[in-house]
Each structure stands twice: as structure tokens, then as C-alpha cells.
Amino acid sequence: MILDFREIDHTKLSLAGGKGANLGELLKIDGIQVPEGFCITTDVYQEIIKDVAIQIDKDNIPASCARIRAAIEAQPVPGEIVAVIAKLEDLTYAVRSSATAEDLPNTSFAGQQDTYLNVRKQDITQYIRKCWASLFTERAVVYREQHGFDHSKVLLAVVIQKMIFPEVAGIMFTADPVNGDRRVVAIDASFGLGEALVGGLVNADHYKVKRNEIIDRNIGGKHLQVVASKEGGTIQQEIPKERQNSPVLTDNECRALNELGRKIEAHFDQPQDIEWCLANGVFYMLQSRPITTLFPIPSANDSDNHVYLSVGHNQMMTDAMKPLGLSFFLMTTPARMCTAGGRLFIDVAQQLSQPASREMLIGTFGRYDPLFRDALITIVEREGYIKPTGDTIPTRPQLKVENDPAIVADLMKTTLASIEALKQNIQAQKGVDLFDFIQNDLQALKNNLSNQQSLAVIMAGMEASAWVNEKMFEWLGEKGVADIISQSVPDNITSEMGLALLDVADAIRPFPEVIAFLQAEHGEHFLNELKAINEKAWQAIADFLDRYGMRCVGEIDITKTRWREQPGMLAPLILSNTRNFAPGESKRKFEKGRIEAEHKEKELLARLHEEQAAETKEKISLIRNFIGYREFPKYTKICRYDIYKQAILKEVEELVQSNIIHEKEDIFYLTFDELRELVRTHQLDEQLIDQRKAEFKVFEKMTPPRVMTSDGEIISSTYDRAGLPAHALAGLAVSAGVIEGRARVILNMEDASLEEGDILVTTFTDPSWTPLFVAVKGLVTEIGGLMTHGAVIAREYGLPAVVGVANATKIIRDGMRIRVNGTDGYVEVIV
């Protein structure tokens, strides 16, 4: 029933709860002082609630909570515990809740259950019952609902500690909670008990310590303090005016806290959120829990400084990826990549250390993504962080290509032929041989992605676009000219996909029974059911899937469900097209863009001098011939991913039938090598799968940083707001033009319901979002750069677009009228 702190460690979590287990661990650290105490274990709580009906009516949570709390508080405290309390010294105590789902590495549950301070000995049993009941406050129940915890499986211990009456109390984070820097200890402190600080009653002092030096000190105005009452409990007390703006801690005390914090962090082996107090010159630790909001740092094999760039921000898919998806991407790329928080990062420290590669890296990002560029400049300008070295990374040769559209045609033909060969050859592979075959074919994919002629074509189109934009602004004062020139270019496999879905809408529009079918719910037999209703409509969708069925939202993660696997995902998009457009819209859209690009070219050439016109004409020709190919290499990569995935899932079916794994999707939580070993041995570590699933749920809720260091510091950067309207939302201009319309804030593509004139506002778009682009007049995203997918397709469709708008989906509400300025890079909320 009762455990002394000296009997408790992390293995007693199920008995002592998170707070109790961590207090026991703190007591074991040399030099750490913890107020004396013990835990009333969760076994007692379970005995208390065995006759209490723990049922939550989600439609009336307040009433449910009140009923359960009343029932718990009516239960008597067991006699054995009453006897122990009777033998305590005649002092006052802190009575604190300690839930089993509390102060955990991935969920803190901070403040969800109750704590009572300065409790008189004779009142302890009353407050024990209140602690038990506090597991069912409305805030605690809602928090568990949001985090997916079963109410009946969360138990509560109660911590009883001798009361400490501090002069000063506060909170200490052993990593900067704002930017994640693990080198910084952040301390908040106020006079009296910590309740004043936690409850927001005072502007606490704020100190930052780095390498045992105080690097920041902000002294708050502290008008109140919370102190112990003679009658028990606590009271608020005004602080004398002469002390209100005095520092709470001396520099030496800050350094002492820093050292204690680092000891505790080392013991728990991760950054900690620590409650502390200072009484009679002694620091007491009242609690320590993991900081659950920090983004993990990619692991490194050395102690050097590293700089990590988010791959997801470049790939327009910042969602967490499952282990199989991560390992496939790592096997595909020649870049020096690593993972953290279910995301991919590229380490560019070596490039930044060398003059030539640094200039190329910052110059490239400066052109296509100013937020990346500014963050990298911030790091480079830090004295001593990146140690300069001589150039050892070979600089890429200047890629040149003849201005001949036949080059693109040949590249596409060769690559598509290799995909067809892969489809045939993979069918004969079984067991471990299948994985060896895929591993060998991945090398062919890597070779294709790094094909020098292919890269030369892409670079030629990008550089020609940059040249046209720069020179037309210099010579004619026009911005974003290349965006108009890029409309309806040939050979863009992704923009063609959006137009192809318009053609699907044309095929089904005449058939009301098909429209009705698409409006209904769809299961795994979508295509068969559709074929039975109307074979022509089935054929149109089947043809579309044959060419584009390997695509889906988040397609760089091989584990994501493809359109081919769940064709019903396309139904809302097809219905939107039938509703918003007349027959033949795909041809009209393409021709409209082509004609606008053609007219713009003629207009520009007519306004330029002969020599300027000749050079401009050549650059425009490069854009028209090559810029559409930019999307093709990724398309071929996703084609191969789809072929690998279908073969692997077919192989795994035997493991399911043999009861070696529970369901096929479990393999997504294994790496490629682990999956190969599973197929070889038929031995599965189910605990590993469960652990990976739990980790993935945590990773899903995290927001990956654009740029971070090996110290965990997230490097922030902002756009230049010079010349922008006062309340405008700044972003990166990626597709010229200005448009006003209704904002449609869409977080999931399947939820899209668009009307003509709408402006799409979302977090990011990958190629699977292209079918939505044909139905909108403008685009706003939170993530993106000049050459990321959304920007490329917006230009080709002639949609004014601004990307990289921080918190756009939170600031802009669905239905608002907004103005998108894709020429100067900002968004205005009109109403």
C-alpha cells in the first residue's frame, strides 16, 4: 500500500505513478535534495474505485466527471494508511497526485491532476481522496480523450511529502523550450511557493545559462507571492514595493541550478522540465519530467557541430514517415541523410565548411528559398561554429545541354521502358530473392535520378526561368515574367494528371447513376462495383489509375496508401470537376495557358532591343522545352516505389496466413533490412512493432524544423517585410499575379469541396494535390519554395501563389475573403 521514496525507481511506475517514480529516481542522484516522503500506491486506488462506475458520456463530460468524483470522494481511506498517517510528525505536508500516465517521455500530463500544499496532518486523508478524484476533473478527462488514453487504465498514486517553505521557487528547463537549444538551461523564478509562477500570478524572473555563464536575464515585476497559511493551505501575499523588481536569484544561484539541472538531465538521459525551490540556502527538487515538446536531434557518430536541413520542406511532405518509408528513401538518395522524429534531414555542415560548396549551397537556397538561405547565413556567421576547411568536396561540373526538345522525349522513353521491364522482371522474385532484386533495382533508380543529362535538362529550365525573371525586371520593370511563360509547357507529367482527371469527369458526367455511386461511401471493391454500374465510367477511371494510380498524398513514403489501392479517394475530386466545369475543360485550360505564354513572349520581344530580344527568345525556348521535365524524375521514382510495394505486400500475405504477423501493415514499422530478415527467418519481434507504433503516434504530432543544429537549436528566419502592407502575411512569391476570392482551408485532400473562384489554403501540397489546382484560382501554403511541387504546378496553371506563409491555416479561416499577391509574396485578409 505504501512505498517510501527510497524504495521507488523507474521500475515502480505502475505502483507510484510518473511523479512518484521520478521523485524516487531524483533521490538516488548524488547531491540532489528531495523533501522526505512516501507514495500511497495505485493498488490502493484500484481497491477504492472497484465499485465506482467509470463511464464517460462524451456528450456530457461535466456531469460524468462530477458523478465519478463524488463517488470516489465518498470512499473511506483504508485503515492501514490512516494508521501510518497518524504516526507522522505533527507538521504540514504536500499531498500530490501521481498518475501512471504522467511525466512520461512522450506525454507530460502536466497539471492535469491536483496537488494540495501545506496540508495539516489531520486533513491528509481528506486530500488523499481529493487527489484520487482529481483523475476525473474535466480537464484531465478531455486531455486523455485527446491523447487516446483509456480512462479505466490510467491509475493514480498519491505522494505525501514534508512541506518545504521556500523563499524562492521556480521551474528549470535543461534545454531552451522555445528554440530547442540543448546547451541552454532556462530558469523561471519567483518569490514564495511556485504556485504564483505556475498560476500566472506574477511576471517571473527569467534567466538563461549556457556553459555555466548567464547569457540572458529578464527581471519581472513580482507584485504577489503565494505563501503558507497558518490555518493550512496557501494564501496570496503582496510583495513589498522595494522587492518587486529585485532579482530573485543571484548569478551564483543560477549557476548552481544549472549544475543541478545537468546532473538530473544526465541521470534521465534526456532534457528535463524540473520544479525546484530554495529554502535556507538549499535547493530542493520537487519534480522532474521529460520535456515532451522538443524535436529529436538526428544522431551523429562524433561530437562535431552539424547542421540539418529538413528534406520534407523541400519535398513538400513534412508528415512523419514510417520506418519502411524512411529506409526506402535513404536507400534511394546519394545525399548524406539522417532521420529524427520520423523525418528526413540532410547534414550540410561539411558543405558549409568549404568556400566553394558553401557559396553554391547558400546561393542555391537564396534563389529558391530565402528562409533556408537566411538560416544558413545565421549559422555561418556564428564565430567558431563551423570551422572553415579547404575545398575537398568536388564541385559539380557546369551541366550543359543542347536546346533540343528531343532530349526530353528520349529521356522519358528510356525511363518508362525501364519501368515496364521492372514490372515484368519482379514477378518472378520470391522470398529473400525479392529483397535482393529490389536492392539491386534501387541502384538503377539512383543512377536514373543522378543521370547527368537529366540533371542538365532540369537545371537548364530552372536557370532560364531565373534569368528571364531577373532580366525582365531589370530591363522592363516586370516581376514574375517566367511564371507566365511557364504556363502549359509540354511534358509535365504532374500537370497533365490534373487535366486528365478533368477528362475523367467528362466521361462520367452524362451518367447520373455513376454520379450517385461516387457520392456514396466506398470500400475495397470500388472498381468492381463501378464496372457493374457503368463500364465506360469504369474504363475512364481504370485508365487514369493505370497512368497515375501510384500517386497519393505523401507519396515519398512508400507505406502511404496509393490511389490504386483505394480508388475511392478520387471520388470527391471527380465530383468536384463534374460540378465546376463544362465538358472539354482540360483542353480549354491547356490552350488558354499556352496562348497566354505565347502572347507574353511576343509582347516581351517587341519591347526589347534586338540583342536583348535574341537572348530572351533563347531563354524562353529553354523554359518551354525543359521546365516541364522537372516533375518527371519524381514520377518515375514513385512508379518504382509502387511496383516494389505491391510485390512486397504480395510476399507478406504468406506471413499473415501463417500467423507470423497480425496484419500486412505491421511491416511498415520495420526497416528494409529488418523486413528482409523477417522474410528469411519468419521471426517477428512484436514488442519492436508496438514500440515503433507508439513512437510514430508521437512523431505525427510534432512539427519538424526547417533548419536545426546538432545542439537541437531550431534556427528561425523571416521574410523581408519591406514594402508589404502592415497586416499582410508574408511569404515567398512563386507564381505571379493577384487574385481575390474565398479561402478554402483544406488539411486533407479527401475533404475538399471547391467552387470556382476559391483559393486553396493548406499546409503543403505534393503532386497528389494537383487535381485540386484545376478547380481553384490561387494557392497559399505554409511550406514550400520556388521549385517545390506546388510552385511549379501553380505557374503552369497560371495560379497566383504564395508559399511558406507561417501558420496560414490557423490565421486564415475557412470562408474568409483573401487577396493573394503572387508577384510580391504576401496574402491579405479582406473580410
Side-chain angles (χ1 to χ4, degrees):
M1 282 189 172
I2 289 177
L3 289 173
D4 186 272
F5 285 169
R6 292 172 182 81
E7 301 175 86
I8 299 171
D9 59 20
H10 69 277
T11 65
K12 300 291 196 301
L13 172 66
S14 62
L15 282 172
K19 187 181 278 97
N22 287 353
L23 285 169
E25 286 287 339
L26 282 171
L27 198 61
K28 291 171 174 52
I29 306 173
D30 186 40
I32 300 298
Q33 300 295 320
V34 177
E36 290 180 38
F38 59 88
C39 272
I40 299 169
T41 69
T42 56
D43 284 353
V44 181
Y45 170 79
Q46 290 187 85
E47 185 66 24
I48 288 293
I49 66 163
K50 68 180 181 181
D51 296 323
V52 176
I54 307 297
Q55 295 173 331
I56 301 294
D57 179 358
K58 294 183 181 180
D59 295 325
N60 195 350
I61 288 177
S64 297
C65 290
R67 174 184 54 77
I68 296 170
R69 287 199 308 275
I72 292 174
E73 288 193 50
Q75 303 299 311
V77 175
E80 297 93 329
I81 293 173
V82 173
V84 169
I85 292 171
K87 295 177 183 178
L88 293 176
E89 294 181 71
D90 194 15
L91 302 170
T92 58
Y93 295 83
V95 182
R96 310 171 70 191
S97 301
S98 179
T100 52
E102 178 178 66
D103 300 340
L104 304 178
N106 298 323
T107 45
S108 73
F109 281 73
Q112 297 306 311
Q113 286 73 234
D114 289 344
T115 283
Y116 300 94
L117 302 179
N118 198 35
V119 176
R120 295 177 301 181
K121 175 181 169 181
Q122 63 266 33
D123 296 329
I124 289 177
T125 55
Q126 171 190 345
Y127 285 100
I128 289 171
R129 291 195 297 267
K130 286 183 178 292
C131 282
W132 285 332
S134 74
L135 198 59
F136 291 93
T137 60
E138 291 175 43
R139 67 175 183 272
V141 167
V142 170
Y143 191 95
R144 290 195 295 272
E145 288 279 344
Q146 292 172 338
H147 287 79
F149 280 80
D150 185 333
H151 301 294
S152 65
K153 293 182 179 177
V154 178
L155 308 177
L156 194 114
V158 179
V159 170
I160 311 292
Q161 286 178 283
K162 280 187 179 180
M163 188 65 194
I164 299 292
F165 301 99
E167 299 90 41
V168 173
I171 300 168
M172 167 170 52
F173 297 93
T174 63
D176 191 315
V178 177
N179 67 17
D181 192 341
R182 270 57 161 191
R183 298 166 300 175
V184 172
V185 167
I187 302 168
D188 285 344
S190 64
F191 294 119
L193 294 165
E195 282 184 313
L197 187 153
V198 174
L201 300 176
V202 295
N203 294 319
D205 287 4
H206 184 67
Y207 308 88
K208 287 187 178 181
V209 187
K210 182 176 180 179
R211 297 191 180 96
N212 223 28
E213 292 298 321
I214 289 80
I215 61 169
D216 189 32
R217 181 187 293 101
N218 186 3
I219 307 304
K222 302 165 288 293
H223 302 282
L224 293 172
Q225 62 180 342
V226 175
V227 297
S229 168
K230 291 180 181 178
E231 291 76 31
T234 61
I235 58 172
Q236 294 180 15
Q237 186 180 80
E238 188 172 352
I239 296 173
K241 286 188 178 180
E242 63 270 18
R243 295 185 67 212
Q244 289 179 0
N245 295 300
S246 299
V248 171
L249 295 172
T250 66
D251 285 1
N252 284 338
E253 287 169 339
C254 288
R255 292 189 184 97
L257 272 175
N258 171 69
E259 291 176 6
L260 293 171
R262 291 303 183 202
K263 271 189 179 183
I264 294 169
E265 179 185 64
H267 178 83
F268 287 106
D269 197 28
Q270 68 182 110
Q272 296 290 296
D273 166 1
I274 302 165
E275 296 175 26
W276 56 270
C277 69
L278 176 62
N280 300 317
V282 178
F283 282 109
Y284 292 91
M285 299 300 120
L286 307 176
Q287 178 56 322
S288 187
R289 61 177 70 89
I291 305 176
T292 59
T293 56
L294 297 176
F295 196 88
I297 306 171
S299 59
N301 297 323
D302 54 47
S303 58
D304 294 344
N305 292 331
H306 296 270
V307 180
Y308 303 109
L309 306 188
S310 165
V311 174
H313 282 76
N314 182 260
Q315 290 288 330
M316 292 293 276
M317 205 290 280
T318 55
D319 290 347
M321 296 171 66
K322 297 185 179 74
L324 189 63
L326 290 169
S327 63
F328 259 96
F329 201 101
L330 291 170
M331 292 166 71
T332 306
T333 179
R336 187 182 177 189
M337 286 191 184
C338 47
T339 66
R343 274 78 171 189
L344 292 153
F345 292 87
I346 182 168
D347 182 3
V348 296
Q350 189 178 6
Q351 288 94 320
L352 291 176
S353 72
Q354 303 181 20
S357 58
R358 178 173 64 243
E359 185 177 342
M360 183 193 73
L361 182 65
I362 294 178
T364 300
F365 281 122
R367 182 183 296 173
Y368 301 119
D369 193 322
L371 295 183
F372 269 123
R373 176 201 62 202
D374 291 352
L376 292 177
I377 290 174
T378 296
I379 292 170
V380 168
E381 289 179 347
R382 288 182 176 173
E383 186 175 352
Y385 191 80
I386 297 294
K387 296 177 181 177
T389 62
D391 287 321
T392 58
I393 301 174
T395 55
R396 290 181 181 175
Q398 198 70 15
L399 300 174
K400 295 293 183 183
V401 64
E402 187 180 350
N403 188 3
D404 181 1
I407 295 173
V408 170
D410 289 343
L411 284 169
M412 294 174 73
K413 181 180 178 182
T414 301
T415 305
L416 290 173
S418 72
I419 291 172
E420 288 303 314
L422 171 61
K423 286 180 183 177
Q424 298 302 316
N425 296 336
I426 203 170
Q427 293 178 18
Q429 309 302 320
K430 300 291 181 186
V432 172
D433 289 343
L434 170 63
F435 291 85
D436 294 340
F437 175 86
I438 289 173
Q439 201 154 15
N440 289 332
D441 192 75
L442 280 168
Q443 188 58 50
L445 173 56
K446 287 172 72 172
N447 293 340
N448 181 52
L449 294 174
S450 59
N451 178 287
Q452 292 300 294
Q453 190 178 43
S454 177
L455 293 174
V457 167
I458 293 169
M459 291 306 300
M462 292 169 61
E463 289 171 357
S465 293
W467 186 95
V468 167
N469 276 337
E470 180 185 335
K471 293 300 182 182
M472 295 308 102
F473 182 66
E474 178 186 335
W475 294 341
L476 302 176
E478 285 199 37
K479 290 184 178 179
V481 169
D483 302 349
I484 302 171
I485 297 297
S486 298
Q487 292 184 73
S488 298
V489 294
D491 300 320
N492 188 317
I493 192 74
T494 305
S495 61
E496 289 171 0
M497 176 175 66
L499 299 176
L501 206 61
L502 286 171
D503 292 335
V504 172
D506 287 352
I508 72 160
R509 191 180 284 105
F511 305 109
E513 70 277 14
V514 176
I515 301 293
F517 170 75
L518 293 179
Q519 290 170 335
E521 298 247 342
H522 306 106
E524 57 182 312
H525 304 298
F526 173 87
L527 286 178
N528 289 336
E529 292 170 1
L530 177 60
K531 188 174 184 180
I533 293 170
N534 187 296
E535 191 156 339
K536 184 175 180 181
W538 166 80
Q539 190 65 59
I541 294 178
D543 288 346
F544 180 87
L545 291 172
D546 187 54
R547 186 161 172 77
Y548 301 110
M550 76 295 297
R551 312 216 84 152
C552 66
V553 174
E555 63 187 9
I556 64 170
D557 181 352
I558 198 172
T559 71
K560 293 280 190 177
T561 303
R562 311 282 138 177
W563 289 341
R564 188 192 317 286
E565 297 169 313
Q566 198 173 321
M569 291 191 292
L570 294 171
L573 306 178
I574 298 169
L575 288 169
S576 177
N577 287 345
T578 62
R579 184 173 62 248
N580 292 327
F581 301 108
E585 181 65 17
S586 67
K587 292 183 176 60
R588 283 194 300 273
K589 273 190 176 292
F590 187 84
E591 276 303 296
K592 180 176 179 289
R594 188 189 64 78
I595 290 168
E596 285 182 8
E598 188 178 283
H599 286 174
K600 190 63 182 178
E601 177 181 4
K602 289 178 180 177
E603 176 213 320
L604 293 173
L605 297 181
R607 294 165 61 193
L608 296 171
H609 301 309
E610 183 177 344
E611 192 173 309
Q612 292 174 334
E615 194 172 7
T616 301
K617 185 177 180 65
E618 174 65 15
K619 298 296 185 183
I620 289 174
S621 176
L622 282 168
I623 294 173
R624 300 294 300 175
N625 286 338
F626 292 158
I627 202 71
Y629 180 74
R630 167 76 173 76
E631 292 283 305
F632 187 74
K634 185 175 182 181
Y635 168 79
T636 62
K637 175 180 179 176
I638 301 307
C639 285
R640 284 186 125 86
Y641 270 20
D642 182 52
I643 296 168
Y644 302 151
K645 181 182 181 183
Q646 301 313 315
I648 288 172
L649 290 177
K650 186 177 178 182
E651 182 69 29
V652 168
E653 282 177 4
E654 296 181 13
L655 300 180
V656 175
Q657 292 167 5
S658 304
N659 293 319
I660 293 167
I661 61 174
H662 296 301
E663 51 188 23
K664 288 191 292 186
E665 289 73 16
D666 282 352
I667 67 162
F668 297 159
Y669 297 93
L670 299 173
T671 66
F672 181 87
D673 289 339
E674 289 168 346
L675 179 54
R676 183 185 186 279
E677 191 67 6
L678 169 62
V679 170
R680 186 183 73 82
T681 64
H682 286 194
Q683 299 294 316
L684 176 66
D685 184 346
E686 293 190 17
Q687 283 190 328
L688 178 64
I689 298 290
D690 291 341
Q691 176 192 331
R692 297 261 177 88
K693 286 181 177 180
E695 285 176 347
F696 183 73
K697 284 184 178 180
V698 175
F699 294 159
E700 279 185 302
K701 298 172 185 174
M702 291 181 170
T703 300
R706 183 183 292 268
V707 180
M708 74 184 303
T709 71
S710 46
D711 298 311
E713 181 184 4
I714 297 171
I715 308 297
S716 60
S717 50
T718 57
Y719 295 104
D720 181 2
R721 292 191 56 88
L724 299 189
H727 300 293
L729 307 177
L732 179 64
V734 297
S735 185
V738 179
I739 190 73
E740 291 184 15
R742 180 181 67 160
R744 294 313 315 268
V745 180
I746 298 173
L747 302 181
N748 298 301
M749 193 181 73
E750 295 83 359
D751 299 334
S753 178
L754 298 165
E755 296 178 8
E756 191 172 0
D758 285 347
I759 296 171
L760 173 61
V761 181
T762 189
T763 49
F764 58 80
T765 63
D766 62 7
S768 69
W769 286 71
T770 300
L772 290 186
F773 284 27
V774 301
V776 298
K777 297 298 183 184
L779 173 69
V780 179
T781 68
E782 293 181 342
I783 294 165
L786 194 63
M787 292 309 296
T788 49
H789 159 76
V792 172
I793 303 303
R795 289 193 290 273
E796 182 157 340
Y797 283 170
L799 306 177
V802 181
V803 303
V805 181
N807 298 313
T809 60
K810 299 177 180 67
I811 298 170
I812 300 170
R813 294 192 301 275
D814 190 62
M816 279 181 166
R817 189 164 184 81
I818 62 173
R819 181 183 298 117
V820 177
N821 190 318
T823 304
D824 294 319
Y826 63 88
V827 180
E828 294 176 281
V829 175
I830 303 171
V831 288

